[in-house]
Amino acid sequence: MNKLTATAPCTAHAATVEKTGEVVSAALLTQRVAWLTGLAQDLIACVVTAHWNAADLDALASGVGLDGRVLPTKGWMAVRRLGWGTTPAAGMYVCDRVLRCAQEQAARLLRLALHRRRLVAAIVATWPHNPQARTRAEWDALRVLLPDGVTLAEIRNRTRQIRAYRDEHEVFPADLTELEEPPNVATQIVLAAADRQLVTLERTGNRSARLRVRLPLVESPASGKDWTWHVLPVALPPTVPPQATLCAPTVRVARGRVRVDLPFQTLLGFAPATGHVIGCGFDWGLNGLLVGVAGELADGRVISDGRPLAYDASGVSAKLHRLRAEREHLAAKHRHLEKLLARITPADPRYVALSTARQVLGVEHERLCARIRNLNKALAWSAARWAVDQASTAGATVIYLEDLTTLEARGRRGSVNARLSGQVRGQIIEAIRHLAAKHAIAVVTVPARGTSRYCPRCGDGTSVLKHCPAPDRLTERGWRWAYCPACGLSCDRDWAAAERILARGLLGQHATRTHRTTGTRTIHTIVEGNVARARRTRKPTRAARRARRTRTDLHPRPAARDRSKNRPTPKRPTRTANNTMINSADDLAEHAMTSSRVPDRRTVPAPPPTGGGQRPAGHAPKPGRHQPHRTGHVRNSHHRTGLHHAKATPVLTFTEHRGSPKQATPVRVT
């Protein structure tokens, strides 16, 4: 059995002083928690800033303390063995357990810097002739020096950072401490390093817990009397199962409330890396956020059920693009005000107005950033839940995704990967891994190169697909539709890419590698193979059986009506807005002269009848006699995901759409 660790965000609205029974209000509790986190932040900043140099980082990387013993795993113990302990300000009393928590968080920041330091040193030592395009020999030399588990995205970002430093200073950075300033310290306290002398946590019910922690009564406590025990009742969200084990939380203040980030552990079944028969492959679609397909491995070949799975979040993506554009606009205005303030002195009469405007823009920018983060998080978890539901319902034991480190935007800004770079793919893949672990489903990434270029039906990796706008415009250049001139395959390009991802995963699962530290599973070897689409034959309907028995046409053509013109067309009366019947041209002229009614709201004009033009967002017409059943208004045409303007394929059982290899009718078998 494996343990899955997750964090539940909780809020403490009030507390009780254990000694006196005094009820502490939310405002007073927020103030006392802010005093505690402020003390911890100052202690952490002192340790990190004092030892942000090459000599101290070398001592920490050596793994040996001042007494010659090996440094322990716990960060606060390693800091003390190195003699890096810190003391509070003069006249201030801070208990030893609070010092432990501060030293633990400082050790985590410094150990994280060791990883970045080794990465920077490896890139500088093997600096390529062209940083944008390394040769194979340069890549091999870099891989030898890199630490285990470094992704291509980290290499790319650090290379850009070093190149910017070299362009500015005309030399390479000698160490990470020259390349970066000491990291910022969050205003929080990690209670994982404390014991029962500072914090206790117990569960009081399925949806409630009791947090007992010592808090200061004043901003600068001078003795132990200024610290007392507080009992904080915490309501647990539904995501915390009753059998979960609660761990020591992290306490912080956010938006005027006390936030308790509560980790919990649950036991899960083991998901094997190999031996999968049924799986799901998902492509980071261009026509939709996620496009997938379910299939099985039978007799060395992959058979798909022939049903694409699509998660369309174009409405949410459009909203995110608008919010990002507004954010950039506010940031530009904020920078402009900073430049204006730098040119004048505080004695200038314009300084107060400009400073106030800058503060207002800063607050609005922070609110807009928080809104974007919340929308990204909601979209990521909604798409992840949909993908895991599809895999679980299909009976799949593995989910194959594209490797994000190989999806880099190159060339012009309008390229495929450039348009996808604004997506929340990183959050989605982490959410899929978390949710799939609860169902004992493995998540494996496969190489993304060539998934949208080659045909999944041919499967030889040489049949190049032709991308066109639509199936009836195969001679034109486009990107939505895929057509194979070799075998005649014609389907959505994301559907074809998802089938190739599934085939690479199921056929190459013997090459799955599991990272020792993170546990992520990846396939680096590309194994090509064709994908056959199969559907179970449907039983004929009652009308079809009757037509076969009576030997009649199932869909007879209606009799043509007489279109001869043998009488004049009658004039239809016109009804006005005042319910007045207009039977003649005189009545129409009189009504036009006397009526002065103006519509209460100006309506958005519709596109011309020929179909040219585009209706503005948010003004799609409702179904009517002339526009029956628009796509966005059909009740049962799309599966609603709980997110605004996001539609997805409904979750259906995989066995209802596939048949055994003997009953299946594949499109092509090679």
Side-chain angles (χ1 to χ4, degrees):
M1 300 294 289
N2 296 332
K3 288 185 178 180
L4 176 65
T5 303
T7 302
C10 307
T11 304
H13 299 283
T16 304
V17 179
E18 188 179 48
K19 186 176 181 180
T20 62
E22 175 190 0
V23 178
V24 180
S25 62
L28 184 57
L29 176 63
T30 302
Q31 186 180 28
R32 293 180 179 179
V33 172
W35 291 338
L36 176 62
T37 56
L39 291 174
Q41 184 183 24
D42 295 340
L43 295 173
I44 297 168
C46 290
V47 176
V48 174
T49 305
H51 303 284
W52 189 256
N53 54 74
D56 291 340
L57 291 180
D58 288 337
L60 181 62
S62 65
V64 180
L66 298 178
D67 54 358
R69 292 185 297 172
V70 179
L71 294 179
T73 305
K74 293 184 178 180
W76 66 272
M77 296 180 64
V79 168
R80 293 188 177 185
R81 189 166 294 183
L82 288 171
W84 295 354
T86 182
T87 57
M92 185 178 298
Y93 174 81
V94 178
C95 62
D96 181 71
R97 300 307 183 266
V98 176
L99 293 176
R100 279 190 188 182
C101 297
Q103 293 166 357
E104 175 68 27
Q105 193 167 350
R108 294 182 182 182
L109 292 176
L110 292 175
R111 284 177 171 175
L112 182 60
L114 293 180
H115 173 76
R116 301 199 302 266
R117 185 190 189 205
R118 185 179 175 185
L119 178 59
V120 169
I123 295 177
V124 172
T126 60
W127 189 255
H129 178 71
N130 183 10
Q132 297 182 354
R134 289 183 172 90
T135 62
R136 182 175 297 274
E138 293 172 345
W139 274 113
D140 295 339
L142 178 61
R143 288 293 184 184
V144 173
L145 301 179
L146 285 176
D148 188 23
V150 177
T151 62
L152 295 178
E154 294 181 86
I155 299 174
R156 179 177 64 249
N157 295 336
R158 289 296 170 183
T159 302
R160 292 172 178 173
Q161 184 183 20
I162 296 172
R163 185 172 55 190
Y165 181 90
R166 187 194 62 174
D167 295 341
E168 182 179 358
H169 300 85
E170 298 182 354
V171 293
F172 287 103
D175 197 82
L176 177 68
T177 56
E178 293 185 4
L179 187 63
E180 295 180 356
E181 296 293 330
N184 297 327
V185 179
T187 310
Q188 62 183 15
I189 181 168
V190 181
L191 300 176
D195 55 10
R196 298 180 64 88
Q197 297 186 24
L198 180 64
V199 60
T200 60
L201 179 65
E202 60 179 352
R203 194 160 191 164
T204 58
N206 293 337
R207 298 288 302 276
S208 60
R210 179 174 175 267
L211 178 63
R212 182 170 168 264
V213 62
R214 292 183 65 183
L215 297 178
L217 299 178
V218 294
E219 184 176 3
S220 301
S223 63
K225 297 181 180 180
D226 296 332
W227 294 76
T228 186
W229 287 97
H230 289 68
V231 179
L232 285 69
V234 178
L236 303 179
T239 55
V240 182
Q243 66 275 10
T245 302
L246 304 182
C247 306
T250 298
V251 181
R252 56 190 174 88
V253 175
R255 298 180 182 179
R257 295 184 179 182
V258 177
R259 304 293 185 181
V260 180
D261 298 331
L262 186 62
F264 62 94
Q265 294 180 346
T266 54
L267 296 178
L268 300 174
F270 177 73
T274 59
H276 304 289
V277 178
I278 300 178
C280 286
F282 291 95
D283 173 61
W284 305 109
L286 192 61
N287 303 330
L289 181 61
L290 272 179
V291 178
V293 65
E296 63 179 346
L297 182 63
D299 299 332
R301 65 174 184 175
V302 180
I303 301 178
S304 170
D305 66 343
R307 183 172 65 98
L309 312 173
Y311 186 94
D312 183 13
S314 55
V316 184
S317 299
K319 185 175 182 179
L320 284 171
H321 285 305
R322 292 193 296 268
L323 292 178
R324 293 190 187 103
E326 185 177 355
R327 180 189 60 184
E328 296 299 329
H329 179 65
L330 291 178
K333 295 177 66 175
H334 191 269
R335 290 192 299 267
H336 180 65
L337 290 178
E338 287 182 347
K339 292 180 181 179
L340 294 179
L341 287 173
R343 299 175 182 175
I344 60 178
T345 61
D348 195 298
R350 299 170 297 178
Y351 188 87
V352 176
L354 292 177
S355 178
T356 303
R358 184 188 61 175
Q359 294 179 359
V360 172
L361 287 177
V363 172
E364 189 65 25
H365 184 269
E366 290 295 330
R367 291 178 179 177
L368 193 58
C369 291
R371 187 178 179 185
I372 294 175
R373 287 194 301 268
N374 294 335
L375 189 56
N376 285 338
K377 182 179 179 180
L379 177 60
W381 283 94
S382 175
R385 168 55 64 189
W386 170 83
V388 174
D389 287 346
Q390 292 284 1
S392 177
T393 307
T397 57
V398 62
I399 295 176
Y400 293 108
L401 300 171
E402 284 183 305
D403 191 358
L404 294 180
T405 58
T406 61
L407 296 177
E408 182 182 0
R410 298 183 178 91
R412 57 188 180 88
R413 294 180 57 88
S415 61
V416 174
N417 290 332
R419 285 192 291 267
L420 291 176
S421 60
Q423 303 288 356
V424 287
R425 295 175 296 190
Q427 299 182 22
I428 293 176
I429 194 172
E430 292 298 329
I432 289 178
R433 284 174 178 158
H434 177 81
L435 297 175
K438 297 182 178 181
H439 297 272
I441 299 177
V443 179
V444 185
T445 58
V446 300
R449 183 176 296 276
T451 54
S452 299
R453 183 181 181 184
Y454 300 107
C455 176
R457 183 189 295 181
C458 297
D460 53 359
T462 58
S463 300
V464 180
L465 292 174
K466 181 180 179 181
H467 295 150
C468 52
D472 56 345
R473 300 162 62 185
L474 301 180
T475 58
E476 303 178 19
R477 295 186 59 182
W479 48 269
R480 280 183 173 272
W481 202 258
Y483 170 70
C484 180
C487 64
L489 175 69
S490 180
C491 65
D492 184 89
R493 64 169 292 164
D494 297 334
W495 185 9
E499 289 183 339
R500 286 186 58 83
I501 292 172
L502 178 63
R504 287 184 178 183
L506 290 178
L507 296 177
Q509 56 182 305
H510 60 277
T512 305
R513 298 294 181 265
T514 303
H515 195 271
R516 293 177 296 178
T517 305
T518 61
T520 58
R521 291 168 175 170
T522 309
I523 297 177
H524 296 290
T525 305
I526 298 179
V527 179
E528 301 293 356
N530 70 320
V531 180
R533 297 177 184 174
R535 283 182 180 269
R536 185 170 56 181
T537 57
R538 295 184 177 181
K539 190 176 181 180
T541 61
R542 181 180 302 178
R545 293 196 300 269
R546 184 186 302 113
R548 184 185 304 173
R549 185 174 58 254
T550 58
R551 297 182 179 180
T552 58
D553 191 1
L554 180 61
H555 302 288
R557 182 181 298 275
R561 59 185 181 88
D562 187 12
R563 297 180 179 273
S564 59
K565 185 78 170 180
N566 52 12
R567 59 186 179 86
T569 302
K571 295 182 179 179
R572 297 181 180 179
T574 303
R575 188 180 297 275
T576 63
N578 297 330
N579 224 13
T580 304
M581 299 299 296
I582 301 177
N583 298 316
S584 62
D586 297 337
D587 296 339
L588 179 61
E590 180 181 358
H591 178 75
M593 293 171 55
T594 58
S595 176
S596 60
R597 184 178 183 273
V598 180
D600 299 332
R601 181 181 59 185
R602 182 183 178 91
T603 58
V604 179
T610 57
Q614 184 178 2
R615 183 178 295 275
H619 296 279
K622 296 182 179 180
R625 184 180 65 177
H626 301 289
Q627 297 170 342
H629 305 303
R630 283 280 184 175
T631 304
H633 297 276
V634 180
R635 177 175 298 179
N636 298 324
S637 65
H638 292 86
H639 172 67
R640 289 295 176 182
T641 59
L643 194 65
H644 181 61
H645 287 175
K647 303 181 291 294
T649 304
V651 180
L652 300 177
T653 307
F654 178 64
T655 55
E656 295 181 357
H657 291 269
R658 68 179 176 91
S660 61
K662 296 181 180 179
Q663 298 175 351
T665 306
V667 176
R668 180 180 178 183
V669 179
T670 58

